[in-house]
Each structure stands twice: as C-alpha cells, then as structure tokens.
Amino acid sequence: MKINIPESDQERIVIVGGGFGGLTLARELKKQNYQVVLIDKNNYHQFQPLFYQVAMSGLEPSSIVFPFRKAFQGEKNIFIRVTEVERVDTDQKQLHTPLGICNYDYLVLAIGADTNFFGNEEIEQKALPMKSVSEALHLRNRILTDYEIALSVTDYEKRQQLIDIVIVGGGPTGVEVAGALAEMKRYVLPKDYPQLNTDEIDIHLVEGADRLLLGMSEEAAQKAQEFLEGLDVKVQLNAMVTGFDGAYATLSDDSKITTHKLIWAAGVAGNKMPGLPDEALVKGRRLAVDRFNRVQGTQDIFAIGDIAYMEEPDYPKGHPQVAQAAMQHAKQLGKNFKRLSKGKEMEPFSYKDLGSMATIGRNRAVADLPGFKFQGAFAWLIWLFVHLFQILGAKNKVSIFLNWVWNYLTYDQSLRLIIRPKEGPADVARE
Amino acid sequence: MKINIPESDQERIVIVGGGFGGLTLARELKKQNYQVVLIDKNNYHQFQPLFYQVAMSGLEPSSIVFPFRKAFQGEKNIFIRVTEVERVDTDQKQLHTPLGICNYDYLVLAIGADTNFFGNEEIEQKALPMKSVSEALHLRNRILTDYEIALSVTDYEKRQQLIDIVIVGGGPTGVEVAGALAEMKRYVLPKDYPQLNTDEIDIHLVEGADRLLLGMSEEAAQKAQEFLEGLDVKVQLNAMVTGFDGAYATLSDDSKITTHKLIWAAGVAGNKMPGLPDEALVKGRRLAVDRFNRVQGTQDIFAIGDIAYMEEPDYPKGHPQVAQAAMQHAKQLGKNFKRLSKGKEMEPFSYKDLGSMATIGRNRAVADLPGFKFQGAFAWLIWLFVHLFQILGAKNKVSIFLNWVWNYLTYDQSLRLIIRPKEGPADVARE
C-alpha cells in the first residue's frame, strides 16, 4: 500500500523528523519547486531546551510545542504525516511506514538522538530520561507522586528513597534540572508539604569528568558549580553511576546513594534507521555526512542535526549536537536544494558557533558568547530572551513570558499537577 | 497501618472528594476547630464545566484544574492525602486506603458521580466518557489521531468511521461538545487538513427525550437546537443509542450511524463507596440524606453534591446534580459543623436555584436565570464571565481569558497536540 499523498510533477523531498533541523528545512522549502513530505511520530515540534521546565512544573507542555499543521497552514507543497518510519529501502528509494510506502527522490534524515545508556540495561530500565516532552511530563508526575507517597512513609530510609534525587550528567540539561529542583526544594516544597522536613531532601549531580558543562568555558563551569553548591546541590565530579536498582544508585567507587529517581542526562546516541549502508554509521550512532550533508555511501540521502557527523577543518571531531548546528545544517541544505532545482552546484557547509548558555536558577546563568563570557543575573536575562525569541508561535511566547513573570514574582511554579490522559479500553477498539 | 497524620485534640472531619462540594467545604472549615483531612485520587481540583473545551483543544488541562496543596498552603488544620478510598468501616469509624487506615469523627462523602452506561457493557467498553480532565484529554487525543489516520484512508466507509462523531445525550455537556466540534469542523479543520473533504464530516447529537437540555426551559432548548442545526449538527430527538461496536452505533429504531467515536454524555450514577448501610442507596446510585446532609441510617456520615439525594418540599425528586447544588450543600454543612463545635443545633438546608446556562459556540449561548431567559450573544458573554469568575486561581483566570480572546480573534484553537506522558518501565520499579 502506498501512502496517500497526491501525485506531483515536482521532485519529492521526504524529511524524517520535525525537530530543529527538520522543521527549519521544511520552512526553507516552502514554495520551492519540490513536493515536501514531513514525517514525525508526533503531530508537533518540541522545543527541547525547555523540557526541564516542563519536568519541574514551571511550564505546560503545550507552551513549548507547536503543531506542525499550524506551522504549515496554507503551504500547498508541504505534506505532513504523523507516523513512524520502519526502514528505508535505498534501492527502491522508499520508506516503509505503518501508513504505507512513501517514495522519495531525496530523503533527509533529521531523526535526532535519544538517550544513551551505554549498554547498561539495568539503568535503561529504571532511570528517567528526558529527551521528549512526554518523558519530561512523566518525570514531573513521578516527582510529585513520590512526594505524596513520602508523606505517609515513616521509615527514614524509605522516605529518603522517595524524596532524594540523583541527576547523572553535568551538561546543560543536568545542570538546569539540578538548579530547578534545588529551587523547588527551597521555595515551593516547604509550603506545599509542611509535614515533610525538606532539609532531608538531597539533590545529587554526578558527572564523570573533572568539571561541569564540558562544552562550555572553564569560567562557566566554575561559576555553575558555585551557583549549584550555593543552592545545596551535592555536586560529585570524577564519578560515574554504574548501577541503579530502583532504590540505590551505585557509583564507580562502589559508594551508594539512596534514591528512587535517577535522572539520566549523561549522553545521547543517534536514533536508528534500518536500511542505510553500514559504512555510514560512526561513533555515537551518528551518520557520517560530507560537507553537503550527504550520507556516506548514498547519493540522494542527507542527514542534518544531531544525527549527522560532519568533519570540517575547524571541527575535526564533528559539530556539537545542539539546536544551532541543526538549524544551520537545515538552512544550508535548503539553499542547496534550491540550487539543485536550478541546475547549480551545491555549496559546502561551515559551522558558525554562536555560543552557548545554561541557567541554574533565579538570576543565575552562565553564558559563553563569541569573545564574551559572563555569568549571573545578566546572563540569566539574556538566556530568558534568547529562548523566548526562539520558541515557535506568538501564543507560546506570550504564554511562556507570562509564566516566567508569574513564577518569578510568586517564587512558585503553579503547575504541580499529576495529569495523565486516561487510556481506556476504547483504545482497543481501534485495532 | 495507620495513615500518617499528626494526632490532634480536635475532632477530625474526613472529606472524600475534592470536587465543587468537597473543596468548598474544606475552605469553609479553614481555621475552624476541627482537624480536616481532604482525600482525593488526584492532587488537583477539576473545573468540570470546561472539560469539553479541553477535549476540543481550546484550553489546556492545567488551566482548569488547581492543585489542592496550593489552595490550602499555610492552613494548619487541613491535611491533604492523594489516594483512593477502598471502603468505609462505619463501626470502627475508619476509612481503608492504600496509604493506611484513616480514622474519622465525621465523614463527608463528596465523591460525585461518574458516567452511567445503564448496564450496556458493549457501550461501556467502547464509548468515550468525559467525566474527568484525563478523559477529556484522552478524547482530544483520539479525535486528532483519527484525523491523522483518516488522511491515509482511501476507502470511503472506513474514512467516515474515523471522521464522523456521535454524541449521546442532549444535556449541557452533549450540546456544548457538539457545538465545539461543529466549529472546529468549520473553522479549523479545512486549514489543518486541506486533503480531507471536511464536508464529509458528520456530527450527530442523539437524545432520548423529545427536546434538548431537559433541565432548562423550553425556549432554551428550542434555541440551542436551532443554533446547533445552523452549525450543521444532525440532532436526533426521541432516539436512543442501544449498541456500539466501535464501527457503527445502533439506534433504538435499528438504524445505524457509521462512527469510530461515540461520546457518551447520557447520564451519571453515583460513585461507589463500599461499607455504607444498604438503606442509604437510592436511584441513580445516590445516597439518601436528610436536610442536614446526613446519610440515612448513619449518625456521623454526611454526603454532599452529586452523590447526595435530598428531598425537600420544593424539590420532591432531589436537587439537580450540578455544581451550584454541591457548593450550596457544602456551605450549609460548613456552617453546621461550626454550630456543632459550639454546641448548637444544625440548621436544615434549602436549595436556591441560581439558573443555568449552556454555550453552543461563538456568540451563541442559552441562559435561564431566575425570572429572566435569554439566548444569543449576550448569554454567551454572561456565560464566559460567570465561568471565568468561578474558576479557581488568578493565574487560571488570566490564562483562560487570554486563551478565549486568542481563540475568538483567530477562529482557532491552537492546542491541537497529541501529548501523552511516557509511561516507561521505570514505573515498574515502584512496585
């Protein structure tokens, strides 16, 4: 069965994945002389840099995601399909999906990366990842549910398991989660749970290297650690979590930390796409691409964003797996498709580092901009505005801005709600 | 095991259920000379009159619910426990819950009512109820997912099953859902799904009586039907849905309607509470109470709201199962507890009908106020402000107001997101 998309004289570009890379590319291809099919397993784009605020009850999921159909309303050459891709058949130039077979003339893989548990199955089964808005919401529900249960637990050790949290990975996500949890512990929990002794809540941040924020400057790392320790986060460097049984996390020195919740933000691996040539797969399960983002060993398949591994003279180990790189890849590839359609040669990509930032809490952030490093309240303000500016949709901007102002003034995240859509037996009826 | 709540010299009132009745009562009992325990299976109060807007992508769940802990921050005599009640032991004056046994001096059942399928198991298994924010969110996900699937279905009959919707029950919920769906069909779907012929979407509203809105005036019913038919809703009166196999709904005259989604808003039955005297249980699974809301056959157990059945001279068949009645019960009972604590006699309850309203769509509502019936744009404005005024929390008011203004101006509900919290294997770790 073929997927139901109108036949067209235009060449068809199929983009798999609507993250920063896929979405940016589809927008570049609006009104160009191609038929564009955007496939994603969700019906919305997710703004990953704010997942942690969803997990920490600061923002609603709906504020940081945007429906694809709304983003492309009225665009006659863009077709959206919400489905998974099972595999690619490079000989037939086809994707296999539950909705049917989708032919392509050009295929762009913007499938991103998912949590990497480095083969530790015990951790994979019991740890909490945070690589989608659904996972962030699940984490929120877990944190809140555990505090509710903790109220009724009189055994000290058991209660510690419920209220203590270990975060693994000292990159931006780990740092931001730790900071937000520490603020929740300080400002919100004593009011919500007067029966709990919130001093008993321990927040651990465990990092394998000898410093935090490896992708950023030494100054940023130093200051982030200072900020976190000022908020009572227990930062452990040069330490790895080697096991987690749901009650205790085991560290590389065989010490144990009591916890029921292990948040895993320690690394990513590219999402899988069966059917590609073996030679394309490199370290971190990324796809090796040339300077035109073309996947090694293929002619008409491209990869952009976190999944793409491109070496260039200034970046001999590839680009960082961040939103900026994905968007830059997408913009260049969009231009190259335009050139192709006019019979011109493609132009090679060069990455331009625009800097990076991480926020730790109220008035506390660290920023490395090109030629300009700063930390503290000003960095925090810049962080807020950069993220507000980047998020898709005027309504989302307004909603996030109001939430932030509200949370800032009231010292309170008001979204401490354990809401799950009820999946009833009615779902069975679909089969 | 006993539930972990501090011992106190005060008498303990346990309220089960934090809907309109339970929440209002707990607020009345703030700072009174009782220890109050509020038990609910959710950690938030739900504003039921706006569930349908969540289901129709108009509002976020978080805008219409409010965390109990926030509502009672700083109240030293109020204790909140998020758990289910398994049964009541009237001899021991104890509730059994998964968190342990909870003693009471006075028990107030504000457990409300749930969807009544009138014993039809096939319908119960396959229909979509809308009596909680979780169910509303589930309905939203189902509607959106089905449109996505419909895009890939070329068979006419199968596509009709995915896009047509049957709503059973012509009360306020049924009318409001039908109106909102009709507007989505008219304003939103053609833009989101240009490939779908939205004229093919049929919305059916089926009601057993010979008119809609049985609890309201004849004028209101007439006008509501006129509004709905103006929006192309197919209203069928004097008709019952007798079966639903997930593909076709069967009506009492053996005719069939093609549909995969049957929204059931045709009646309610009281929630169960094992352990109460048999004599208390009356029609609609409600609990018979005297004029002091005391459950028949008990001394220290009260019932308020939808679950309570109280006859009084003006209401020989009991009060309507609406928010107003629940809040009035709660206020009177709160006063009576205060009188009890001062050694005074309780005062009997009298219901005061403040009127009722239903909204059908943009600028279209019907209102029956005491001595004053009106329909149309003014009723719609009044409806908006009454609901905005009633919703708990300043932030919710702001958020709903902005959403409504936005939706009104843009002819668009922007929350068309299929988001499910990811329930991973990590949940298993808790067991």
Side-chain angles (χ1 to χ4, degrees):
Chain A
M1 190 183 75
K2 259 177 129 179
I3 202 165
N4 181 29
I5 291 168
E7 295 293 323
S8 159
D9 294 339
Q10 295 173 318
E11 285 190 299
R12 180 185 288 177
I13 299 174
V14 178
I15 304 169
V16 184
F20 286 111
L23 183 81
T24 305
L25 178 60
R27 295 173 97 182
E28 292 287 319
L29 294 174
K30 280 183 194 177
K31 300 190 175 60
Q32 282 202 33
N33 189 22
Y34 291 101
Q35 187 186 53
V36 178
V37 179
L38 175 61
I39 299 180
D40 196 293
K41 60 175 182 285
N42 293 309
N43 75 337
Y44 50 83
H45 167 73
Q46 317 187 36
F47 192 74
Q48 193 161 326
L50 294 178
F51 284 171
Y52 84 95
Q53 296 209 359
V54 171
M56 299 300 126
S57 306
L59 290 175
E60 263 321 272
S62 59
S63 304
I64 65 157
V65 306
F66 198 83
F68 290 123
R69 297 207 173 274
K70 200 166 158 59
F72 295 102
Q73 269 186 359
E75 298 302 333
K76 292 203 166 53
N77 72 325
I78 314 258
F79 295 83
I80 291 149
R81 287 298 177 271
V82 179
T83 189
E84 314 234 2
V85 175
E86 293 153 347
R87 66 186 175 90
V88 52
D89 178 339
T90 52
D91 291 337
Q92 301 289 321
K93 301 182 76 165
Q94 290 178 333
L95 294 177
H96 289 253
T97 83
L99 294 180
I101 284 167
C102 181
N103 293 312
Y104 63 81
D105 295 301
Y106 298 102
L107 173 64
V108 182
L109 298 172
I111 54 181
D114 203 352
T115 307
N116 190 352
F117 295 98
F118 303 103
N120 189 320
E121 281 182 28
E122 190 196 44
I123 292 178
E124 182 164 359
Q125 273 175 31
K126 298 193 170 160
L128 295 156
M130 217 179 63
K131 282 292 285 180
S132 70
V133 75
S134 295
E135 288 173 350
L137 205 50
H138 174 59
L139 175 55
R140 178 202 292 192
N141 287 349
R142 276 288 297 276
I143 292 172
L144 296 173
T145 303
D146 280 357
Y147 285 127
E148 292 296 335
I149 298 172
L151 279 181
S152 299
V153 173
T154 46
D155 179 79
Y156 177 79
E157 189 77 2
K158 285 217 169 115
R159 192 167 62 236
Q160 288 304 111
Q161 287 175 10
L162 291 163
I163 64 180
D164 291 358
I165 299 185
V166 175
I167 302 140
V168 188
T173 300
V175 164
E176 288 174 339
V177 167
L181 276 173
E183 295 211 316
M184 197 194 267
K185 170 187 164 183
R186 176 174 292 193
Y187 300 119
V188 176
L189 299 181
K191 283 188 282 180
D192 265 14
Y193 300 93
Q195 251 192 284
L196 271 188
N197 179 358
T198 46
D199 290 340
E200 287 182 350
I201 299 176
D202 295 322
I203 299 162
H204 301 267
L205 177 62
V206 181
E207 163 62 44
D210 60 357
R211 49 165 284 200
L212 299 175
L213 297 174
L214 270 185
M216 295 184 68
S217 66
E218 188 69 48
E219 292 100 300
Q222 283 279 338
K223 201 73 186 174
Q225 185 169 348
E226 203 177 287
F227 285 151
L228 284 171
E229 288 173 344
L231 287 164
D232 277 338
V233 173
K234 296 178 198 309
V235 179
Q236 297 195 53
L237 302 174
N238 301 307
M240 312 261 279
V241 170
T242 55
F244 176 54
D245 63 3
Y248 299 94
T250 309
L251 270 61
S252 34
D253 63 359
D254 280 341
S255 65
K256 281 184 190 296
I257 308 176
T258 309
T259 189
H260 177 52
K261 285 183 293 295
L262 186 86
I263 300 173
W264 189 262
V268 297
N271 282 311
K272 288 175 191 165
M273 177 59 69
L276 294 174
D278 288 339
E279 60 185 291
L281 207 65
V282 295
K283 206 184 153 212
R285 226 196 284 140
R286 289 162 93 176
L287 298 171
V289 298
D290 63 18
R291 296 288 296 279
F292 309 103
N293 282 95
R294 195 158 32 199
V295 174
Q296 208 160 305
T298 72
Q299 275 306 311
D300 33 37
I301 303 182
F302 299 81
I304 58 177
D306 287 359
I307 189 73
Y309 177 79
M310 183 195 298
E311 290 177 2
E312 53 165 315
D314 288 349
Y315 294 90
K317 291 175 170 181
H319 307 132
Q321 286 168 292
V322 295
Q324 266 308 318
M327 290 191 284
Q328 290 182 30
H329 286 167
K331 285 200 171 142
Q332 183 64 51
L333 185 56
K335 280 186 199 138
N336 280 334
F337 275 126
K338 194 166 186 179
R339 296 179 69 85
L340 274 184
S341 72
K342 293 183 173 161
K344 293 186 192 162
E345 289 281 296
M346 296 197 289
E347 285 179 338
F349 175 85
S350 292
Y351 180 59
K352 191 159 174 291
D353 185 4
L354 298 176
S356 48
M357 288 190 271
T359 184
I360 292 96
R362 296 173 74 81
N363 307 325
R364 295 184 191 93
V366 295
D368 291 350
L369 302 194
F372 187 37
K373 295 182 180 60
F374 51 110
Q375 301 90 30
F378 182 63
W380 182 77
L381 260 183
I382 298 288
W383 183 95
L384 291 181
F385 282 100
V386 166
H387 284 81
L388 209 52
F389 180 76
Q390 286 182 338
I391 195 109
L392 202 61
K395 191 171 167 208
N396 282 354
K397 285 185 211 289
V398 172
S399 152
I400 290 178
F401 181 72
L402 290 180
N403 264 289
W404 282 349
V405 171
W406 196 282
N407 298 348
Y408 188 79
L409 295 179
T410 59
Y411 282 78
D412 190 1
Q413 297 90 29
S414 55
L415 301 169
R416 298 186 294 284
L417 308 162
I418 310 169
I419 301 180
R420 301 182 173 93
K422 181 168 174 177
E423 301 293 332
D427 277 310
V428 181
R430 163 140 345 127
E431 309 311 319
Chain B
M1 191 183 74
K2 260 178 127 179
I3 202 163
N4 181 28
I5 291 168
E7 295 293 323
S8 160
D9 294 338
Q10 296 173 317
E11 286 190 297
R12 180 186 288 175
I13 299 173
V14 178
I15 304 169
V16 185
F20 285 111
L23 183 80
T24 305
L25 178 60
R27 296 172 97 183
E28 293 286 320
L29 294 175
K30 279 184 193 176
K31 300 189 176 60
Q32 282 202 32
N33 189 21
Y34 292 100
Q35 187 186 53
V36 178
V37 179
L38 176 61
I39 299 181
D40 196 294
K41 59 177 184 285
N42 294 309
N43 75 337
Y44 50 81
H45 166 74
Q46 317 188 35
F47 191 74
Q48 194 162 326
L50 294 177
F51 284 171
Y52 84 95
Q53 296 208 359
V54 171
M56 298 302 124
S57 305
L59 290 175
E60 262 321 274
S62 59
S63 303
I64 64 156
V65 307
F66 198 84
F68 290 123
R69 296 204 175 276
K70 202 168 156 56
F72 296 102
Q73 270 185 359
E75 299 300 335
K76 293 201 166 56
N77 71 325
I78 314 256
F79 294 83
I80 291 148
R81 287 298 176 272
V82 179
T83 189
E84 314 232 2
V85 175
E86 294 154 345
R87 66 184 174 92
V88 51
D89 179 339
T90 53
D91 291 337
Q92 301 288 320
K93 301 182 76 164
Q94 291 179 332
L95 294 177
H96 289 253
T97 84
L99 294 181
I101 285 168
C102 182
N103 293 312
Y104 63 81
D105 295 301
Y106 298 102
L107 173 63
V108 182
L109 299 171
I111 54 182
D114 203 353
T115 308
N116 190 353
F117 294 99
F118 303 103
N120 189 320
E121 281 182 27
E122 189 196 46
I123 292 178
E124 183 165 358
Q125 274 175 31
K126 298 191 172 161
L128 295 157
M130 217 180 64
K131 283 289 286 179
S132 71
V133 75
S134 295
E135 287 174 350
L137 204 51
H138 175 58
L139 175 56
R140 178 202 291 190
N141 288 349
R142 275 287 297 277
I143 292 172
L144 296 172
T145 304
D146 280 357
Y147 285 127
E148 291 297 334
I149 298 173
L151 279 180
S152 299
V153 173
T154 46
D155 178 77
Y156 176 78
E157 188 76 2
K158 285 218 169 114
R159 193 166 61 235
Q160 288 302 111
Q161 286 175 9
L162 290 163
I163 63 180
D164 290 358
I165 298 185
V166 174
I167 301 141
V168 188
T173 299
V175 164
E176 289 175 338
V177 167
L181 276 172
E183 295 211 316
M184 197 193 268
K185 170 187 166 183
R186 177 174 290 191
Y187 300 119
V188 175
L189 299 181
K191 283 189 283 181
D192 265 14
Y193 299 95
Q195 250 191 284
L196 270 189
N197 178 358
T198 46
D199 291 339
E200 287 182 351
I201 299 175
D202 295 321
I203 300 162
H204 300 267
L205 178 61
V206 181
E207 162 62 43
D210 61 356
R211 48 166 285 201
L212 299 175
L213 297 175
L214 270 186
M216 294 185 67
S217 66
E218 189 68 48
E219 292 101 301
Q222 284 280 338
K223 202 71 186 178
Q225 185 168 350
E226 202 177 288
F227 285 150
L228 285 171
E229 287 172 346
L231 286 164
D232 277 339
V233 173
K234 296 180 198 307
V235 179
Q236 297 195 53
L237 302 174
N238 301 308
M240 313 261 279
V241 169
T242 55
F244 175 56
D245 62 2
Y248 298 95
T250 309
L251 270 60
S252 33
D253 64 358
D254 279 342
S255 66
K256 281 182 191 295
I257 307 176
T258 308
T259 188
H260 177 52
K261 284 184 294 296
L262 186 85
I263 300 173
W264 189 261
V268 296
N271 282 310
K272 288 175 192 166
M273 177 58 68
L276 294 174
D278 289 341
E279 60 184 290
L281 208 66
V282 295
K283 204 181 153 215
R285 227 196 284 141
R286 288 161 92 177
L287 297 171
V289 297
D290 63 17
R291 295 288 294 280
F292 309 102
N293 281 96
R294 194 159 31 199
V295 174
Q296 208 158 304
T298 73
Q299 275 306 311
D300 33 36
I301 303 183
F302 299 82
I304 58 177
D306 287 0
I307 189 72
Y309 176 79
M310 183 195 297
E311 291 178 1
E312 52 166 316
D314 287 351
Y315 294 90
K317 291 175 171 182
H319 306 133
Q321 286 169 293
V322 296
Q324 267 307 320
M327 291 192 283
Q328 290 182 28
H329 286 167
K331 284 200 172 142
Q332 183 63 51
L333 184 57
K335 280 187 200 139
N336 280 335
F337 275 126
K338 196 166 183 176
R339 295 179 70 84
L340 274 184
S341 72
K342 293 182 175 163
K344 293 186 194 162
E345 289 282 296
M346 296 197 289
E347 284 178 341
F349 175 85
S350 292
Y351 180 60
K352 191 158 176 291
D353 185 4
L354 298 175
S356 48
M357 290 189 270
T359 184
I360 292 94
R362 296 173 75 81
N363 307 326
R364 295 182 191 94
V366 295
D368 291 348
L369 301 194
F372 186 38
K373 296 181 178 61
F374 51 111
Q375 300 91 30
F378 182 62
W380 181 76
L381 261 184
I382 297 289
W383 183 94
L384 291 181
F385 281 100
V386 165
H387 284 80
L388 209 51
F389 180 76
Q390 286 183 336
I391 195 110
L392 201 62
K395 191 172 168 206
N396 282 353
K397 286 185 211 288
V398 172
S399 153
I400 291 178
F401 180 73
L402 290 178
N403 263 289
W404 282 348
V405 170
W406 196 283
N407 297 348
Y408 188 80
L409 296 178
T410 59
Y411 282 77
D412 190 1
Q413 297 90 29
S414 54
L415 301 168
R416 296 186 293 285
L417 308 160
I418 309 170
I419 302 180
R420 300 182 175 93
K422 181 169 175 178
E423 301 292 331
D427 277 310
V428 181
R430 164 136 351 126
E431 310 312 320

